[in-house]
Amino acid sequence: MSTNTSNAALAEWVNAVAKQTNPDQIHWCTGTDEENRELTELLLSDGSFKELNPETHPNCYLHLSDSQDVARVEHLTFICTSEEEDAGPNNHWMSPAEGHAKIDALFEGSMRGRTMYVIPYCMGPIDSPLSRCGVEITDSPYVVANMRIMTRMGSPALLRIERENTFVKGLHSIGDLSPERRYIMHFPEELSIKSFGSGYGGNALLGKKCHALRIASYQARNEGWLAEHMLILGLENPEGEVHYIAAAFPSACGKTNLAMLIAPESYKGWKIWTVGDDICWMRPGEDGRLWAINPEAGFFGVAPGTSKSTNPTALEMLYEDTIFTNVATTADNQPWWEGLDDRVPAKDWQGRDYDPANGPAAQPNSRFTVSSKRCGSYSEMAEAPQGVPISAIIFGGRRERLVPLVFETKSWAHGVLVGAAMASETTAAATGAVGVVRRDPMAMKPFCGYNFADYWAHWLSFTERADNLPGIFHVNWFRKDTDGKFMWPGFGENMRVLEWIVERCKGTVDAQETAIGFIPSTDDINVDGLSIDAEQMQELLSVDQQGWLGEVDQINEYLDTYGERLPASMREELHRIKQELG
Ligand code: SAT
Ligand code: MN
């Protein structure tokens, strides 16, 4: 019998899992340095970790995963609710009974010969009322090492669980890593997760996408808050005022880069503070504003493309105390990935001698895991129990055409529609057809734990919950000209757009009203020092009426897939835009 906790439900669950999975030993994680040292030794001795160059990268380790286990698996990810409609067209559904039966069969005896780790964790600052706890049971020491960085893990979390007597149950076993025996199952009605057959981040670090987004989004609806796939940044101006912005982008749109943006030379006295780069939990405060925390304690970032020029702040974090997964290495055993610099790697991500004929040296989804504390722009407000007040919410996509650089929505309901219509265009290289628009509402397509129609209704309900809601904006850094060249420089220069957004929130700058929202006048976006002419700015800030009429039809078609459950006001809002376009 497990006696490591005074919480009966937890002790009982751990015992039941041990009976089912049959581990050799049970280890309750405390989160101490000593425990981490022992775990690291174990990972080194069983070959899961390789030490990287201790001169250049002290306390950094390389993990090479199974080559078939390198990403999230949406087709094997299920939401198991009693009613299929509660999961919605945006999720794969299975009944809870079938879900449990399918995955329990795999857990039977799955930890034989292994150690079962019990990881109590807290998502969010340990003393924040906005935080929520969970316990992950896993047989992967690699998962423990990552959870230790990504969450507040160990004894303080256990104490909170014992005090609150509630926690999300996450059960994980790596099995034999066969994609044939792999499922990621969510039981939102039971606040539980079962994941089998993958050691990859989003599938195995259950605090992240499984808990902090899928389960939390469901919990948030019941409790009146929002769990979102958003970065949180603080923008400090030369007067020392800080405005906090939450922003949602689909993958590969540079969330981590924006969260760690370095202001251009001409922005003396301006600074971006990083609160989070992936997940944001928000709830109305007594002042009617939305207050947000980053539930995570670290970054699980994509390595390829991270460099001195794209994200110097991120690169700087990665020289110490970092776990690298599936990157390449140089001859002197430093981590390396495409886009880092022009050195030639010695070994690829599968441990083979590097040969360009085998494809990229680093797996395109290779990752770093590093504590937020190592981030030079990490905001101390990220640890504040009350969170940070959000002035603006930004939705963004990758759109080569049509969508302006920035616009402000006209109302909260309009903002919800714009979030629901979020999309990225696929490139010719990816699909063979340019301009195929893939909808990814609020960047939550793979992460919303319930029916999107109900989720939008929940978003819409915030006008009744709070009377000082943030403005909602849409940005598009990815417009291209007729020669296929990006029209906006992006990266640090995006500060110029953030400046306009904050001025709009403060009411210190005008805008032009159009059918799709408020657009800046060309001279209200500061382009000093950029080689961008008035004509180009005009183009970046124009509303193409015919193009938008087509877009409205496509959005309508997409929303139709949610049928009767779609909130009526979304269609009304879309109709309003169509009318105004003329
Ligand atoms: O799903 S992960 O969290 O592992 C990575 C991502 O897609 O953001
Ligand atoms: Mn993400």
Side-chain angles (χ1 to χ4, degrees):
M1 285 295 283
S2 182
T3 50
N4 295 58
T5 177
S6 62
N7 185 282
L10 176 55
E12 205 176 295
W13 175 56
V14 168
N15 285 324
V17 169
K19 215 163 146 202
Q20 177 186 25
T21 60
N22 237 315
D24 278 8
Q25 308 173 54
I26 302 179
H27 177 96
W28 287 71
C29 298
T30 55
T32 60
D33 291 344
E34 178 58 23
E35 176 182 76
N36 188 49
R37 262 193 300 278
E38 283 169 17
L39 198 73
T40 305
E41 283 307 316
L42 176 75
L43 285 157
L44 285 166
S45 68
D46 77 2
S48 306
F49 268 5
K50 292 201 171 54
E51 192 180 10
L52 289 161
N53 188 323
E55 306 275 299
T56 58
H57 291 74
N59 202 27
C60 290
Y61 301 95
L62 171 66
H63 172 76
L64 301 183
S65 80
D66 186 284
S67 64
Q68 298 298 304
D69 185 30
V70 295
R72 280 183 288 105
V73 282
E74 281 168 34
H75 64 295
L76 301 173
T77 300
F78 290 84
I79 299 294
C80 305
T81 43
S82 318
E83 301 296 327
E84 181 167 4
E85 299 84 79
D86 289 342
N90 45 305
N91 282 303
H92 298 296
W93 175 84
M94 220 182 264
S95 75
E98 191 186 354
H100 281 301
K102 272 218 156 69
I103 202 161
D104 281 348
L106 299 172
F107 278 112
E108 211 54 57
S110 71
M111 298 189 188
R112 204 165 281 136
R114 310 178 62 92
T115 297
M116 177 173 115
Y117 297 90
V118 180
I119 314 170
Y121 63 86
C122 180
M123 299 310 289
I126 197 87
D127 51 353
S128 169
L130 283 74
S131 301
R132 288 288 181 276
C133 292
V135 176
E136 175 165 358
I137 297 180
T138 180
D139 56 5
S140 162
Y142 166 79
V143 165
V144 181
N146 278 273
M147 284 290 283
R148 180 177 171 275
I149 297 174
M150 295 305 297
T151 72
R152 280 92 171 165
M153 170 268 248
S155 306
L158 182 59
L159 281 176
R160 180 165 169 162
I161 289 168
E162 288 169 345
R163 199 169 61 238
E164 292 182 331
N165 193 26
T166 175
F167 61 97
V168 170
K169 291 187 179 105
L171 172 55
H172 170 255
S173 175
I174 54 173
D176 61 6
L177 295 176
S178 159
E180 304 294 311
R181 282 177 291 284
R182 181 177 297 165
Y183 284 115
I184 324 296
M185 303 269 195
H186 303 74
F187 306 90
E189 293 154 356
E190 304 165 20
L191 301 185
S192 87
I193 306 155
K194 291 183 178 177
S195 165
F196 193 94
S198 168
Y200 171 75
N203 302 330
L205 311 179
L206 301 186
K208 196 172 173 60
K209 302 297 177 69
C210 300
H211 176 166
L213 288 177
R214 297 197 191 95
I215 297 291
S217 61
Y218 182 94
Q219 248 183 327
R221 180 180 49 155
N222 291 338
E223 298 174 7
W225 49 286
L226 291 166
E228 298 301 322
H229 191 202
M230 293 177 176
L231 66 90
I232 309 167
L233 62 80
L235 187 153
E236 180 172 339
N237 66 19
E239 291 76 55
E241 285 169 15
V242 185
H243 289 266
Y244 293 93
I245 298 177
F249 294 86
S251 29
C253 289
K255 276 216 320 279
T256 305
N257 293 347
L258 185 61
M260 297 176 192
L261 178 150
I262 302 242
E265 291 262 323
S266 58
Y267 275 70
K268 293 264 176 301
W270 294 76
K271 177 163 172 67
I272 294 287
W273 295 101
T274 308
V275 178
D277 81 328
D278 197 37
I279 302 179
C280 166
W281 286 357
M282 293 183 274
R283 73 160 65 217
E286 275 165 18
D287 59 359
R289 292 191 287 179
L290 287 185
W291 289 75
I293 59 164
N294 167 17
E296 300 193 281
F299 305 107
F300 183 67
V302 178
T306 307
S307 74
K308 251 199 177 105
S309 67
T310 60
N311 193 338
T313 307
L315 192 63
E316 200 52 48
M317 312 188 282
L318 307 180
Y319 288 99
E320 223 175 302
D321 301 335
T322 303
I323 300 170
F324 293 91
T325 301
N326 293 341
V327 300
T329 44
T330 59
D332 64 347
N333 207 23
Q334 297 189 41
W336 190 90
W337 48 83
E338 275 71 17
L340 174 61
D341 55 32
D342 53 12
R343 286 175 298 171
V344 177
K347 299 272 186 206
D348 74 7
W349 69 278
Q350 299 189 65
R352 303 173 296 198
D353 289 339
Y354 174 59
D355 177 353
N358 289 332
Q363 214 286 329
N365 192 34
S366 53
R367 298 273 167 166
F368 52 78
T369 319
V370 65
S371 165
S372 306
K373 301 230 159 71
R374 283 205 46 82
C375 174
S377 56
Y378 189 54
S379 164
E380 59 181 44
M381 289 304 290
E383 302 288 337
Q386 76 277 19
V388 295
I390 298 296
S391 299
I393 289 174
I394 300 178
F395 294 121
R398 176 184 286 270
R399 300 291 295 264
E400 292 186 8
R401 279 175 287 265
L402 189 68
V403 182
L405 177 63
V406 58
F407 63 90
E408 179 187 3
T409 62
K410 296 186 180 184
S411 64
W412 183 259
H414 179 208
V416 173
L417 174 73
V418 166
M422 252 175 76
S424 272
E425 261 153 22
T426 51
T427 62
T431 65
V434 175
V436 177
V437 170
R438 201 169 287 153
R439 300 279 157 201
D440 186 357
M442 281 85 168
M444 285 286 278
K445 171 69 187 63
F447 306 120
C448 183
Y450 62 105
N451 192 320
F452 259 153
D454 300 342
Y455 168 77
W456 296 322
H458 179 53
W459 262 84
L460 289 165
S461 76
F462 277 75
T463 50
E464 282 136 50
R465 298 174 193 274
D467 53 18
N468 199 358
L469 290 166
I472 301 182
F473 295 78
H474 189 281
V475 302
N476 176 26
W477 317 132
F478 300 94
R479 273 288 283 278
K480 286 188 173 170
D481 63 18
T482 42
D483 300 331
K485 286 219 313 272
F486 285 113
M487 294 173 71
W488 179 252
F491 300 106
E493 310 299 347
N494 292 335
M495 182 73 164
R496 301 164 187 272
V497 175
L498 299 183
E499 181 187 11
W500 183 79
I501 288 174
V502 167
E503 284 196 17
R504 283 299 291 168
C505 295
K506 289 170 46 175
T508 50
V509 66
D510 280 341
Q512 300 180 0
E513 183 162 2
T514 74
I516 68 160
F518 296 106
I519 305 234
S521 308
T522 48
D523 48 8
D524 282 333
I525 299 276
N526 171 13
V527 292
D528 287 355
L530 292 184
S531 58
I532 218 168
D533 58 34
E535 204 181 321
Q536 212 170 337
M537 273 318 279
Q538 194 67 52
E539 180 63 28
L540 275 168
L541 297 172
S542 64
V543 177
D544 161 11
Q545 189 203 21
Q546 279 312 308
W548 274 100
L549 282 168
E551 175 81 4
V552 164
D553 285 344
Q554 282 181 34
I555 295 170
N556 224 336
E557 229 171 82
Y558 173 71
L559 294 180
D560 272 345
T561 60
Y562 292 88
E564 294 283 288
R565 269 169 108 123
L566 186 78
S569 70
M570 292 181 69
R571 242 184 249 298
E572 284 158 21
E573 199 56 44
L574 200 55
H575 185 72
R576 193 245 335 135
I577 296 170
K578 193 165 177 168
Q579 295 286 306
E580 287 182 25
L581 281 165

